[in-house]
Amino acid sequence: MASSPIDTSKELKLERYNSYIRRLNSTKLIVASSKLLFRVTLLVALILVFFFIINYPSFTSSENSNPHHFNIHTTTHNLLSSSFYGGGAAWEKQVRHSSTPRRVNGLSVLVTGAAGFVGSHCSMALKKRGDGVLGIDNFNSYYDPSLKRGRQKLLAQHEVFIVEGDINDAELLSKLFDIVPFTHVLHLAAQAGVRYAMKNPLSYVQSNIAGFVNLLETVKLANPQPAIVWASSSSVYGLNTNVPFSESHRTDQPASLYAATKKAGEEIAHTYNHIYGLSLTALRFFTVYGPWGRPDMAYFFFTKDMVQGKPINVYVTQDDKEVARDFTYIDDIVKGCLGSLDTAEKSTGSGGKKKGPAQLRVYNLGNTSPVSVNKLVTILENLLNVKAKKNVIKMPRNGDVPFTHANITLAKKDFGYKPTTDLSSGLRKFVKWYVRYYGIQSKDLDSSNDHSQD
């Protein structure tokens, strides 16, 4: 008897169905994996971009041709300070430790621009005499940030902590004032330089005006309100022809945007003094020089170019007269800053409300002995044993003024300001520092009879 054929149709249908399910699941897995890979890649890319901006701010800072670039830089720092500096217990411990005085009746000073030239020297001097010092600096790239990092390292060795942040960051400033009852603020953070204003004008407004106002807004709400000593500039005298320059002379003819922002700062200070009872002292610095100085200053880049055998440009006025400056050594400027802090009266407001008239002062801090740029070059030639290759050219119309000369009678009377370092002695100390810091090897450099302080 013949057997009947086996019915395989059901098995085939089941196999086809299982195969379809496997293909469907495989497709879903591939799609899901692709989406996950895309999201992970996007997240990694965003993280890399964020850290690139943080670690390489020079791509978004002073060398950028876009005049609005400072917004990127400031925003980055605000993100940093708000997300990182606002909380940790270890960070707060550093802030408190650095700002606590070590002497009886010592000051507790917030120094803005503490990694800068004048700021680092003042911070060191305050700390050495037993005052509490807390710094804040954004370490921008207007000039080589490694120099600022070097100053930061030196201050750290003396237990001065510098908060890395921007004075435009209101949240960060409020946090610092919540932690520390500062007695004084030494406000030295600023966008410096006369000529750079032609390349990046908005950076001066952002730092010298907006940053100053933001600081004052924070200080006015503090309890107690600290007294403020801040850096104006001899540049405010602008086109003034009366010499020596006195605090009573007119300052309504600025020759540069930098000068205009500093003059604006003086008017803003008057306003906050009048309305909120803030004690404010403006210091008009005259061409500060010395060790750890700014590379954009003539004495600094003259030294660099002369050591490298490069030519230097020496300016004369449009009518062929010599350009002269009242060069003031850093140690003398520091004495003036500390004298101003020591004689600053308390602010009279509380919680943003004025309770009585407050101190408002303006002082010149100079050397009272103008020296021509040609004489400066001659001194450097003798110290470096190098003959300068000079190109004598007309001073460009970029905001520089041909002559400065400080009358310091008022500062001498009020807090005993008396500069003691002439240009030859000061430059000798600078050259010794420069050679050591940059590792220049030359047996011919004259560094004898030097008693400079590190």
Side-chain angles (χ1 to χ4, degrees), residues 113-129:
F117 175 29
V118 179
S120 60
H121 279 272
C122 286
S123 296
M124 183 71 76
L126 288 165
K127 196 69 174 183
K128 283 185 175 181
R129 75 176 196 176

Side-chain angles (χ1 to χ4, degrees), residues 284-287 326-329 332-333 363-369 405-408 411 417-419:
R284 295 173 178 172
F285 296 155
F286 281 71
T287 315
D326 197 345
F327 295 100
T328 313
Y329 188 62
D332 292 324
I333 289 293
Y363 294 106
N364 288 336
L365 293 186
N367 195 55
T368 74
S369 300
H405 184 186
N407 181 338
I408 60 169
Y417 175 70
K418 185 179 180 181

Side-chain angles (χ1 to χ4, degrees), residues 195 287 297-302 306 312-317 321-327 369-381 388 390-393 395 400-404 423 427:
R195 300 167 196 170
T287 315
M297 300 293 285
Y299 72 93
F300 201 116
F301 60 74
F302 280 177
M306 289 168 64
I312 61 174
N313 293 330
V314 177
Y315 292 147
V316 295
T317 64
K321 292 181 180 179
E322 287 193 312
V323 173
R325 290 288 182 271
D326 197 345
F327 295 100
S369 300
V371 178
S372 70
V373 175
N374 264 321
K375 177 64 175 177
L376 167 72
V377 174
T378 300
I379 295 172
L380 288 175
E381 286 178 327
K390 295 188 287 187
N391 295 325
V392 180
I393 60 177
M395 178 182 284
D400 270 330
V401 294
F403 186 85
T404 62
L423 185 60
L427 285 177

Side-chain angles (χ1 to χ4, degrees), residues 26-269:
S26 177
T27 302
K28 288 181 178 179
L29 181 62
I30 292 172
V31 171
S33 298
S34 298
K35 288 182 178 179
L36 179 62
L37 181 62
F38 173 75
R39 289 170 180 171
V40 170
T41 303
L42 182 60
L43 179 61
V44 170
L46 288 173
I47 292 172
L48 289 174
V49 169
F50 179 72
F51 279 101
F52 182 83
I53 292 173
I54 292 174
N55 293 310
Y56 299 94
S58 59
F59 285 89
T60 57
S61 57
S62 61
E63 299 302 319
N64 195 322
S65 60
N66 181 1
H68 298 284
H69 67 77
F70 65 84
N71 288 330
I72 300 174
H73 188 71
T74 303
T75 300
T76 301
H77 281 289
N78 287 349
L79 281 170
L80 267 173
S81 58
S82 297
S83 61
F84 181 75
Y85 292 127
W91 178 81
E92 287 196 16
K93 185 177 180 180
Q94 282 184 296
V95 168
R96 293 181 193 278
H97 178 76
S98 185
S99 59
T100 301
R102 303 301 177 202
R103 65 182 176 96
V104 178
N105 297 321
L107 311 182
S108 180
V109 187
L110 174 65
V111 180
T112 71
F117 175 29
V118 179
S120 60
H121 279 272
C122 286
S123 296
M124 183 71 76
L126 288 165
K127 196 69 174 183
K128 283 185 175 181
R129 75 176 196 176
D131 293 316
V133 181
L134 179 68
I136 181 171
D137 203 292
N138 67 3
F139 293 90
N140 68 30
S141 55
Y142 168 61
Y143 59 79
D144 184 8
S146 68
L147 194 58
K148 301 175 186 180
R149 295 297 180 184
R151 301 182 189 125
Q152 179 189 32
K153 183 178 179 181
L154 187 63
L155 288 173
Q157 293 170 4
H158 291 81
E159 299 185 330
V160 175
F161 179 54
I162 300 180
V163 174
E164 187 165 351
D166 198 292
I167 57 172
N168 281 289
D169 187 344
E171 182 182 347
L172 174 60
L173 289 182
S174 295
K175 179 69 174 178
L176 296 178
F177 277 86
D178 286 342
I179 298 172
V180 182
F182 294 108
T183 61
H184 295 73
V185 173
L186 181 58
H187 175 47
L188 301 172
Q191 176 59 62
V194 169
R195 300 167 196 170
Y196 182 62
M198 299 186 72
K199 296 181 180 179
N200 186 11
L202 293 183
S203 67
Y204 289 78
V205 177
Q206 177 76 355
S207 181
N208 302 355
I209 297 178
F212 188 30
V213 169
N214 193 58
L215 176 65
L216 294 175
E217 281 292 304
T218 303
V219 171
K220 82 177 188 185
L221 297 175
N223 192 9
Q225 289 180 341
I228 304 169
V229 175
W230 68 284
S232 182
S233 170
S234 61
S235 296
V236 299
Y237 290 108
L239 303 179
N240 175 50
T241 56
N242 296 326
V243 291
F245 299 161
S246 297
E247 292 88 347
S248 59
H249 288 172
R250 64 184 299 181
T251 54
D252 59 349
Q253 295 177 302
S256 67
L257 179 61
Y258 169 70
T261 60
K262 286 299 186 179
K263 175 59 179 175
E266 292 186 1
E267 300 304 321
I268 290 167

